[in-house]
Amino acid sequence: MELHYDVVVVGAGIAGPILSRNLAKKGYSVLMIDKKAEIGTPKRCGEGLGIEAFKKYDIPLDRRFINREIYGAAIYSPSGYRLEIRYDRVAGVILERKIFDKMLAYYAAKAGADVMAKTEAVGLIRKEGKIAGVKAKHEGEPLEIYADVIVAADGVESRVARWAGINSFLPPHEIDSAYEYEMIIENFEFDPDLIHLYFGNNIAPRGYVWIFPKDEDRANVGIGINGDNPKTAKYYLEKWLKENNIKGTKILEVNVGGVPVGGFLKELVKDNVVVVGDAARQVNPMHGGGMAEAMEAATIASKWIDKALSEENLELLKGYTEEWWAGEGQKLLRILKVRQISEKLSDDELDAAVQALSGADAEKIAAGDYKEVFKALIKHPRILLKPKMLKLLKEAL
Ligand SMILES: Cc1cc2nc3c(=O)[nH]c(=O)nc-3n(C[C@H](O)[C@H](O)[C@H](O)COP(=O)(O)OP(=O)(O)OC[C@H]3O[C@@H](n4cnc5c(N)ncnc54)[C@H](O)[C@@H]3O)c2cc1C
């Protein structure tokens, strides 16, 4: 079968549906495909999303995909010092991503986009040396989708960018291994109105253990660690559960995945191929969250695809690379530098950091104001930043 569209989008996670919806609203013919038989399932996510994303990216706050409203976060140091950031308003939500992703695809379809589940991109179509579309398999049957613009929104394991000739190689050190149980938690105290983050070099090297409550006694309990660690993320998560006497006998779901936290794709566009979201490594390297970042990239990319198609000049697609790198890219680069400093802190320094931050402006910290974080750290007598780290810190701020 052969199909023709203005834009074909590979991947119906977060970036794909936002971009498809935006372009369909502008009147373009858009086809979004996903290899999953059911969009959104299985999930690979802690499902935490800041509340501001809904308004910013024009997503209805639909009860069907919101498990729980969250009012802040509690951060725990290796020795158990606790920093609490609590608001008197909803700060974020724990989603039900299986429904969220499907509803995002529904919004795209309602805006006019066509959507095909169980349709896997298997290569690119080239005509006279130019990329002309995507070769796919729909329920096992070959399908050729011709389009002016091809969007790679195919997540961390993206192949579309590579097929287009973009260097998307990710060394193990630049990826975090994540492992998560959705489980019932018994005999362990946690405030279900907050997310809980546990730090420590023996708890989660380079990362943290998280509890993202979906109910008063049900949560996503997960871990992210450096991908080149000789031990697995599962090993560290099981160890932490055991040390905290949390029985792993009521596990509703197991999620495993990679999180690209080491740097962002330089080349976001090649010819008529545009890369967005995890496929472009557009993830916050500090906490590993990538949903809001995928929405932001999709918003910028859809603006430039609209410009390029309306002015019949595909060179304009490069405006996406420039705009993303000038704003979001610079912000995430600074965060990456801060992460590179924080991953070198010893457990003693992490203890001291959590104590120091208790005196800082919690709202600013929560908003990602890393200047505020480091002002508090530098003032603390137990944090001795080495000259190399201080140099990095100056660059980051
Ligand atoms: C364990 C874990 C926990 C996380 N927790 C959080 C969190 O709490 N908050 C947060 O913000 N982020 C979190 N993230 C990151 C977040 O899930 C991603 O950043 C986000 O999903 C990126 O969206 P995306 O649209 O780029 O890619 P995805 O959501 O990965 O979507 C890509 C889609 O492309 C499809 N696809 C891939 N290849 C093909 C192909 N060849 N043909 C057709 N379809 C294809 C896939 O089936 C998939 O549906 C977590 C990640 C992991 C692994």
Side-chain angles (χ1 to χ4, degrees):
M1 193 168 48
E2 200 179 292
L3 299 170
H4 292 261
Y5 284 87
D6 294 327
V7 183
V8 59
V9 178
V10 180
I14 301 292
I18 298 283
L19 186 142
S20 302
R21 179 202 62 185
N22 292 356
L23 288 171
K25 269 190 188 166
K26 291 273 176 191
Y28 297 104
S29 65
V30 181
L31 171 64
M32 177 170 68
I33 63 170
D34 201 294
K35 63 183 178 185
K36 290 177 178 167
E38 183 174 4
I39 287 173
T41 303
K43 74 156 197 248
R44 279 197 294 192
C45 194
E47 305 180 289
L49 181 63
I51 196 73
E52 60 287 346
F54 291 88
K55 197 164 173 219
K56 193 167 178 198
Y57 303 109
D58 194 20
I59 302 166
L61 258 171
D62 191 319
R63 307 295 315 172
R64 279 174 287 186
F65 50 67
I66 294 174
N67 271 292
R68 196 167 182 89
E69 291 173 335
I70 294 294
Y71 291 83
I75 294 167
Y76 303 83
S77 77
S79 307
Y81 292 106
R82 185 174 188 272
L83 165 69
E84 182 176 302
I85 302 166
R86 187 189 292 268
Y87 300 92
D88 52 10
R89 56 178 165 80
V90 175
V93 295
I94 306 301
L95 296 164
E96 187 62 39
R97 262 203 75 174
K98 288 174 199 144
I99 302 175
F100 186 61
D101 288 20
K102 201 188 271 184
M103 291 296 281
L104 291 185
Y106 164 71
Y107 304 140
K110 289 283 281 182
D114 286 345
V115 180
M116 286 174 89
K118 214 172 175 185
T119 305
E120 180 175 6
V122 292
L124 293 176
I125 304 168
R126 289 178 198 268
K127 285 262 143 90
E128 291 154 18
K130 289 194 176 142
I131 296 169
V134 169
K135 283 185 202 157
K137 271 200 171 158
H138 173 63
E139 302 205 34
E141 291 296 317
L143 175 67
E144 293 203 325
I145 308 157
Y146 288 85
D148 295 328
V149 176
I150 293 101
V151 178
D154 50 342
V156 64
E157 286 138 16
S158 175
R159 290 184 296 160
V160 176
R162 194 157 21 97
W163 292 332
I166 295 174
N167 179 8
S168 58
F169 173 71
L170 199 59
H173 185 69
E174 295 194 354
I175 197 157
D176 271 0
S177 298
Y179 197 85
E180 180 185 76
Y181 292 137
E182 184 176 326
M183 64 189 290
I184 309 287
I185 303 184
E186 289 168 329
N187 306 318
F188 180 82
E189 291 281 315
F190 70 97
D191 181 337
D193 291 337
L194 303 176
I195 56 166
H196 302 267
L197 312 176
Y198 298 83
F199 289 86
N201 291 301
N202 292 317
I203 293 174
R206 190 169 79 182
Y208 56 91
V209 166
W210 65 81
I211 297 182
F212 283 9
K214 295 182 88 165
D215 249 320
E216 305 217 328
D217 59 355
R218 180 172 62 106
N220 289 325
V221 183
I223 192 169
I225 65 162
N226 56 314
D228 54 356
N229 195 297
K231 295 207 169 79
T232 62
K234 180 177 193 276
Y235 163 83
Y236 280 103
L237 182 62
E238 294 283 358
K239 180 163 102 54
W240 184 83
L241 290 172
K242 202 166 166 209
E243 283 165 3
N244 289 282
N245 295 318
I246 302 175
K247 272 206 235 146
T249 51
K250 292 184 182 175
I251 291 167
L252 308 174
E253 203 171 310
V254 180
N255 304 131
V256 188
V259 183
V261 291
F264 323 101
L265 220 60
K266 288 203 173 58
E267 213 179 357
L268 299 174
V269 174
K270 178 131 192 188
D271 305 325
N272 53 348
V273 177
V274 173
V275 193
V276 282
D278 272 17
R281 325 294 185 219
Q282 289 159 324
V283 170
N284 182 314
M286 193 75 187
H287 55 59
M291 280 192 277
E293 290 68 16
M295 290 172 188
E296 180 65 20
T299 304
I300 300 171
S302 46
K303 187 176 99 185
W304 286 97
I305 294 172
D306 174 25
K307 258 186 196 296
L309 289 176
S310 63
E311 294 181 31
E312 296 182 8
N313 177 5
L314 291 178
E315 276 296 305
L316 289 174
L317 291 174
K318 295 207 172 81
Y320 158 52
T321 308
E322 280 155 31
E323 186 178 337
W324 188 87
W325 269 107
E328 188 73 359
Q330 291 309 307
K331 187 185 92 186
L332 291 180
L333 264 187
R334 281 196 297 278
I335 294 176
L336 176 61
K337 284 186 176 156
V338 173
R339 212 283 318 288
Q340 285 162 343
I341 297 160
S342 65
E343 74 184 65
K344 294 194 176 85
L345 295 179
S346 67
D347 275 2
D348 272 357
E349 287 168 326
L350 282 169
D351 276 341
V354 168
Q355 286 173 283
L357 292 176
S358 305
D361 185 327
E363 287 249 358
K364 283 192 180 167
I365 297 174
D369 184 339
Y370 293 102
K371 269 191 185 152
E372 186 64 23
V373 174
F374 279 97
K375 259 192 333 209
L377 292 183
I378 283 168
K379 272 196 273 167
H380 199 276
R382 277 181 53 212
I383 299 177
L384 297 171
L385 289 173
K386 296 174 187 71
K388 194 174 160 217
M389 275 156 70
L390 266 176
K391 187 173 164 278
L392 266 171
L393 182 58
K394 276 192 195 139
E395 278 171 33
L397 296 180

